[in-house]
Coordinates of all heavy atoms in Angstrom, one line a residue:
K28 N 31.4 -14.1 -16.2 CA 31.2 -15.4 -16.8 C 30.0 -16.1 -16.3 O 29.4 -17.1 -16.9 CB 32.4 -16.3 -16.3 CG 33.7 -15.9 -16.9 CD 34.8 -16.9 -16.7 CE 36.2 -16.6 -17.2 NZ 36.7 -15.1 -16.8
H29 N 29.4 -15.7 -15.1 CA 28.3 -16.3 -14.6 C 27.1 -15.3 -14.4 O 27.1 -14.6 -13.3 CB 28.6 -17.0 -13.3 CG 29.7 -17.9 -13.4 ND1 29.7 -19.2 -14.1 CD2 31.0 -17.8 -12.9 CE1 30.9 -19.8 -14.0 NE2 31.7 -19.0 -13.3
V30 N 26.3 -15.1 -15.3 CA 25.2 -14.0 -15.2 C 23.9 -14.8 -15.5 O 23.7 -15.2 -16.7 CB 25.4 -12.8 -16.2 CG1 24.3 -11.8 -15.9 CG2 26.7 -12.3 -16.0
S31 N 23.0 -14.8 -14.6 CA 21.6 -15.4 -14.8 C 20.6 -14.3 -14.6 O 21.0 -13.1 -14.1 CB 21.5 -16.5 -13.9 OG 21.5 -16.1 -12.6
Y32 N 19.4 -14.7 -14.7 CA 18.4 -13.6 -14.3 C 17.1 -14.4 -13.9 O 16.9 -15.6 -14.0 CB 18.0 -12.8 -15.5 CG 17.2 -13.6 -16.6 CD1 15.8 -13.6 -16.7 CD2 17.8 -14.2 -17.7 CE1 15.1 -14.2 -17.7 CE2 17.2 -14.8 -18.7 CZ 15.8 -14.9 -18.6 OH 15.2 -15.5 -19.6
L33 N 16.3 -13.7 -13.2 CA 15.0 -14.1 -12.6 C 13.9 -13.1 -12.8 O 14.2 -11.9 -12.4 CB 15.1 -14.5 -11.2 CG 14.0 -15.3 -10.5 CD1 14.5 -16.0 -9.3 CD2 12.9 -14.3 -10.0
V34 N 12.8 -13.4 -13.4 CA 11.8 -12.4 -13.5 C 10.5 -12.8 -12.8 O 10.0 -13.9 -12.9 CB 11.4 -12.0 -15.0 CG1 11.0 -13.3 -15.7 CG2 10.4 -11.0 -15.1
P35 N 9.9 -12.0 -11.8 CA 8.8 -12.4 -11.1 C 7.6 -12.7 -11.9 O 7.5 -12.1 -13.0 CB 8.6 -11.2 -10.1 CG 9.9 -10.5 -10.1 CD 10.5 -10.7 -11.4
D36 N 6.7 -13.6 -11.5 CA 5.5 -13.7 -12.1 C 4.5 -12.7 -11.6 O 4.3 -12.6 -10.4 CB 4.9 -15.1 -11.8 CG 3.6 -15.5 -12.4 OD1 2.6 -15.0 -12.0 OD2 3.6 -16.1 -13.5
R37 N 3.8 -12.0 -12.6 CA 3.0 -10.9 -12.1 C 1.9 -11.3 -11.1 O 1.6 -10.6 -10.2 CB 2.3 -10.3 -13.4 CG 1.2 -9.2 -13.1 CD 0.5 -8.9 -14.4 NE 1.4 -8.2 -15.4 CZ 1.6 -6.9 -15.6 NH1 0.9 -6.1 -14.7 NH2 2.4 -6.4 -16.4
V38 N 1.3 -12.5 -11.3 CA 0.2 -13.0 -10.5 C 0.7 -13.5 -9.2 O 0.2 -13.3 -8.1 CB -0.7 -14.1 -11.4 CG1 -1.7 -14.7 -10.5 CG2 -1.2 -13.4 -12.6
V39 N 1.6 -14.5 -9.3 CA 2.1 -15.2 -8.1 C 2.9 -14.4 -7.2 O 2.8 -14.3 -6.0 CB 2.8 -16.6 -8.5 CG1 3.3 -17.2 -7.3 CG2 1.8 -17.4 -9.4
D40 N 3.9 -13.8 -7.8 CA 5.0 -13.0 -7.1 C 4.7 -11.5 -6.8 O 5.1 -11.0 -5.8 CB 6.3 -13.1 -7.8 CG 6.8 -14.5 -8.0 OD1 6.8 -15.3 -7.0 OD2 7.1 -14.9 -9.1
G41 N 3.9 -10.9 -7.7 CA 3.7 -9.5 -7.6 C 4.9 -8.7 -8.0 O 5.9 -9.3 -8.6
Y42 N 5.0 -7.4 -7.7 CA 6.0 -6.6 -8.3 C 7.2 -6.4 -7.3 O 7.0 -6.5 -6.0 CB 5.4 -5.1 -8.4 CG 6.4 -4.1 -8.7 CD1 7.0 -4.0 -10.1 CD2 7.0 -3.3 -7.8 CE1 7.9 -3.0 -10.4 CE2 7.9 -2.3 -8.1 CZ 8.3 -2.2 -9.4 OH 9.3 -1.3 -9.8
G43 N 8.4 -6.4 -7.9 CA 9.5 -6.0 -7.2 C 10.3 -7.2 -6.5 O 9.9 -8.4 -6.6
L44 N 11.4 -6.8 -5.8 CA 12.1 -7.8 -5.1 C 11.5 -8.2 -3.8 O 11.6 -7.4 -2.8 CB 13.6 -7.3 -4.9 CG 14.4 -8.2 -4.0 CD1 14.6 -9.6 -4.6 CD2 15.8 -7.5 -3.8
T45 N 10.7 -9.3 -3.7 CA 10.1 -9.7 -2.5 C 11.0 -10.6 -1.7 O 11.9 -11.2 -2.3 CB 8.7 -10.3 -2.8 OG1 9.0 -11.5 -3.6 CG2 7.8 -9.4 -3.5
P46 N 10.8 -10.9 -0.5 CA 11.6 -11.8 0.3 C 11.6 -13.2 -0.4 O 12.7 -13.9 -0.5 CB 10.9 -11.9 1.7 CG 10.5 -10.5 1.9 CD 9.9 -10.0 0.5
P47 N 10.5 -13.8 -0.9 CA 10.6 -15.1 -1.5 C 11.4 -15.1 -2.8 O 12.1 -16.0 -3.0 CB 9.1 -15.3 -1.9 CG 8.2 -14.6 -0.9 CD 9.0 -13.3 -0.7
I48 N 11.4 -13.9 -3.6 CA 12.3 -13.8 -4.7 C 13.7 -13.9 -4.2 O 14.6 -14.5 -4.8 CB 12.0 -12.6 -5.5 CG1 10.6 -12.6 -6.2 CG2 13.0 -12.4 -6.6 CD1 10.4 -13.7 -7.2
A49 N 14.0 -13.2 -3.2 CA 15.4 -13.1 -2.7 C 15.9 -14.5 -2.2 O 17.0 -14.9 -2.5 CB 15.4 -12.1 -1.5
E50 N 14.9 -15.2 -1.7 CA 15.3 -16.6 -1.3 C 15.6 -17.5 -2.5 O 16.5 -18.2 -2.5 CB 14.1 -17.2 -0.4 CG 13.8 -16.6 0.9 CD 14.9 -16.8 1.9 OE1 15.7 -17.9 1.7 OE2 15.1 -16.1 2.9
R51 N 14.8 -17.3 -3.6 CA 15.1 -18.1 -4.7 C 16.3 -17.7 -5.4 O 17.1 -18.6 -5.9 CB 13.9 -17.9 -5.7 CG 12.6 -18.6 -5.4 CD 11.3 -18.1 -6.1 NE 11.5 -18.0 -7.5 CZ 10.5 -17.5 -8.3 NH1 9.5 -17.0 -7.7 NH2 10.7 -17.6 -9.6

């Protein structure tokens, strides 16, 4: 019932699951 998504920004975040992405 609760499915969301997050896609990193190529320039700001770079590739993959980074620590800042995990925090978000």
Side-chain angles (χ1 to χ4, degrees):
K28 295 184 177 62
H29 308 289
V30 187
S31 61
Y32 71 89
L33 187 157
V34 58
D36 182 280
R37 179 188 291 266
V38 174
V39 177
D40 300 308
Y42 172 77
L44 173 61
T45 60
I48 293 291
E50 293 291 339
R51 283 162 60 185

